[in-house]
Amino acid sequence: MPRTHPAALTLILLAVIACTGCESVQKALESLDKPTARIQDVRLRDLTLQNVTLHFDVEVSNPYKVDLPLTRVDYALATTGKSFLDGEADLSGTIPARGSRTVTLPASIRFEELIQAVKDVRLGQVLPYKADLALSVDGSAVPGIPGGGTIRLPVSKQGKLPVPNVPKVELTDVRWSKLDLTEASAVIQLRVENTNEFPVDLSSLGYQLSLGDTLVADTTIDKSINFAPGKAQTIELPLRVAPANLGLALLRTLTQGSAKYDLSGSMSGQTPFGPIDLPFNRAGTTKMGR
């Protein structure tokens, strides 16, 4: 039986190693610990009728013996598959060796731009959204990383986003208990409708009220009322004004059963997405009674 020459056997073994080497190295690299990222929390801040800011708290873990400098983040936000915000930004700082760090990434959303980008969005809605983010770290100092350079850490999160709308406020009645040259006092009735798909817990109401062309009230009242989504309630508020400030012409108008009014102000309250101030403005004609 012929014997295989030692040199030939060595060549055969080298060939086998060469064929399987790339796969083995790849498997070895894949088995190594890698940096990881996860979204710990999403916080809504500075909610107004114009915009809101989402704060993504992302925890990044570094298994290596060297610090990993943060370099960039890229992000994209979409609702029902339609993109409404994307971009990228430089990052600073490092992820400590064998440690972790939570990085807060803010994304500011302007509702006007959101409505322009997603045509079927309307004011008052609560939208589902998906956020795709990717943090990049500099791995050039890590031995064994293929090619060194950038390590990209993608994360994603789904949530809900409010698009707030102004409340509908109407002066429905002014009922005078006293109206003459010596005293003018009344109870005014405001019909307030929450035009949003989320509840608003009213804490205070500031308003200015003009009857005819005369300012009769400019005040803020603490009022605790829960407004369910899309529902309306009537608020009764006391009104006292010095007759001398009304003038005889307005006094005569107020006794005729109706008067033109101009009402403006702001509701301050709490929502599931944080505190908000909701301004309102309404003009019309209201009933007068006694």
Side-chain angles (χ1 to χ4, degrees):
M1 180 177 180
R3 298 177 61 187
T4 303
H5 193 277
L9 181 60
T10 301
L11 290 175
I12 293 172
L13 291 174
L14 288 175
V16 171
I17 293 173
C19 291
T20 61
C22 293
E23 182 180 353
S24 300
V25 170
Q26 182 64 32
K27 287 182 178 180
L29 290 173
E30 289 176 355
S31 67
L32 294 176
D33 289 338
K34 297 179 181 178
T36 59
R38 68 182 184 94
I39 296 179
Q40 289 182 316
D41 192 20
V42 182
R43 295 169 288 124
L44 277 76
R45 292 290 184 268
D46 306 322
L47 177 63
T48 70
L49 289 176
Q50 290 75 39
N51 52 258
V52 69
T53 300
L54 299 179
H55 288 257
F56 295 91
D57 294 332
V58 183
E59 182 187 53
V60 183
S61 297
N62 175 13
Y64 302 131
K65 296 180 180 180
V66 296
D67 294 346
L68 289 178
L70 290 162
T71 57
R72 298 187 69 78
V73 59
D74 56 85
Y75 54 89
L77 278 76
T79 179
T80 61
K82 300 174 183 177
S83 176
F84 63 86
L85 181 68
D86 61 74
E88 58 182 23
D90 293 332
L91 293 178
S92 59
T94 60
I95 310 302
R98 304 288 192 186
S100 63
R101 174 186 169 192
T102 298
V103 183
T104 299
L105 305 172
S108 182
I109 299 169
R110 293 185 58 83
F111 297 126
E112 182 179 1
E113 296 174 356
L114 168 59
I115 292 172
Q116 290 176 352
V118 186
K119 300 300 183 182
D120 54 351
V121 172
R122 68 179 188 278
L123 294 175
Q125 276 188 290
V126 177
L127 299 177
Y129 76 85
K130 181 183 180 186
D132 292 307
L133 302 91
L135 287 82
S136 296
V137 295
D138 182 3
S140 58
V142 180
I145 296 297
T150 299
I151 303 173
R152 193 169 180 270
L153 306 173
V155 290
S156 64
K157 182 71 174 180
Q158 295 185 17
K160 293 183 177 181
L161 178 70
V163 185
N165 193 18
V166 296
K168 184 178 179 181
V169 180
E170 183 181 6
L171 179 61
T172 58
D173 193 15
V174 180
R175 193 161 298 276
W176 297 96
S177 57
K178 186 75 172 179
L179 182 59
D180 56 33
L181 294 176
T182 62
E183 185 180 348
S185 58
V187 173
I188 65 175
Q189 291 186 345
L190 301 181
R191 183 183 184 275
V192 181
E193 180 182 347
N194 179 13
T195 57
N196 296 287
E197 293 180 352
F198 53 85
V200 177
D201 293 329
L202 178 68
S203 57
S204 66
L205 174 69
Y207 69 98
Q208 291 182 326
L209 173 63
S210 294
L211 296 174
D213 293 322
T214 302
L215 180 66
V216 297
D218 184 356
T219 188
T220 297
I221 294 178
D222 293 333
K223 203 79 172 175
S224 180
I225 301 176
N226 175 262
F227 288 92
K231 300 299 182 180
Q233 294 195 48
T234 297
I235 303 175
E236 292 190 344
L237 303 172
L239 173 63
R240 290 181 176 83
V241 60
N245 295 336
L246 296 178
L248 291 177
L250 181 57
L251 277 172
R252 285 194 294 269
T253 299
L254 298 182
T255 58
Q256 291 176 358
S258 65
K260 292 182 178 179
Y261 74 87
D262 194 314
L263 179 67
S264 61
S266 179
M267 296 171 54
S268 296
Q270 186 70 31
T271 77
F273 307 99
I276 192 171
D277 289 328
L278 296 171
F280 58 86
N281 195 306
R282 183 68 184 267
T285 300
T286 187
K287 296 183 299 180
M288 298 288 172
R290 301 188 69 172

